[in-house]
Amino acid sequence: QAQLVESGGGSVQAGGSLRLSCRVSGYTYRYSCMGWFRQAPGKEREGVARIHTGASSPYYADSVKGRFTISFDNAKNSVDLQMNRLIPEDTATYYCAVVNCGTWDNRLGAWGQGTLVTVSS
């Protein structure tokens, strides 16, 4: 059974950076699509960035385009999210998931525990 463990969250001031990491076990995610999502208090979960691990081809939500970068590291079996120029609106719990390529649909229906990002102004 696939397990996803997110890490790297924390508290930063606006304009700062954080790097999130998602370790995947129990699933061969090579040549699959992985996505990062976030859920702010009182809001629905939304897709932030996704990538095809075999062909790269990253895709970003408009709200993070130009500030966030998604990447994968086969050696570490992880999918990372580099977040730069953070703004208070980025405050949320961030999750990763295996997704159906080209969509935000959680392919396995599994979510990790998430990692909290708090951006203060």
Side-chain angles (χ1 to χ4, degrees):
Q1 185 174 355
Q3 286 191 321
L4 304 103
V5 179
E6 302 92 344
S7 63
S11 297
V12 296
Q13 289 191 326
S17 299
L18 283 173
R19 187 176 185 89
L20 307 184
S21 183
C22 172
R23 286 277 184 113
V24 185
S25 61
Y27 182 80
T28 302
Y29 76 99
R30 296 181 186 184
Y31 308 110
S32 297
C33 292
M34 299 291 298
W36 276 98
F37 297 75
R38 67 186 181 187
Q39 187 168 20
K43 295 189 176 181
E44 292 188 355
R45 195 172 329 208
E46 62 174 352
V48 172
R50 62 180 186 244
I51 189 169
H52 189 292
T53 61
S56 189
S57 303
Y59 178 87
Y60 301 95
D62 287 344
S63 58
V64 306
K65 200 173 296 183
R67 300 187 297 120
F68 290 11
T69 303
I70 187 171
S71 62
F72 63 93
D73 187 328
N74 281 325
K76 294 192 298 183
N77 215 37
S78 68
V79 178
D80 296 344
L81 186 68
Q82 177 67 41
M83 307 187 297
N84 298 327
R85 291 185 284 135
L86 284 160
I87 59 178
E89 289 76 13
D90 295 321
T91 295
T93 298
Y94 285 71
Y95 303 87
C96 66
V98 180
V99 298
N100 289 323
C101 293
T103 77
W104 295 115
D105 298 336
N106 187 329
R107 182 171 184 172
L108 304 180
W111 296 100
Q113 83 290 348
T115 186
L116 178 63
V117 172
T118 303
V119 184
S120 57
S121 58

